[in-house]
């Protein structure tokens, strides 16, 4: 991930030695949808059963 993203032409990172720049993609594969559905089902089951959900990043106070 860079700031800004995408890098504009002429940005110093394009010519920095030892830097490999690749597209920022996360998830677009045939494995994404089945995994996301499995995680969602588990979260919904936990919620319905009154169990804590997984992978909570932040909660409102």
């Amino acid at each position: 991930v860079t700031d800004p993203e995408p890098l504009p032409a002429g940005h110093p990172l394009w010519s920095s030695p030892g830097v490999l720049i690749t597209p920022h993609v996360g998830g677009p594969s045939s494995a994404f949808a089945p995994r996301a559905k499995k995680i969602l089902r588990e979260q919904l089951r936990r919620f319905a059963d009154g169990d804590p959900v997984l992978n909570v990043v932040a909660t409102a106070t």
Side-chain angles (χ1 to χ4, degrees), residues 14-60:
W14 288 117
S15 58
S16 295
V19 174
L20 176 65
I21 298 175
T22 62
H24 180 199
V25 294
S29 75
S30 60
F32 176 76
R35 183 172 183 267
K37 289 176 184 176
K38 180 180 176 183
I39 292 168
L40 179 60
R41 279 192 304 269
E42 175 63 12
Q43 294 289 61
L44 290 172
R45 183 202 60 78
R46 288 174 158 275
F47 182 80
D49 291 347
D51 296 332
V53 295
L54 303 174
N55 307 309
V56 175
V57 175
T59 59

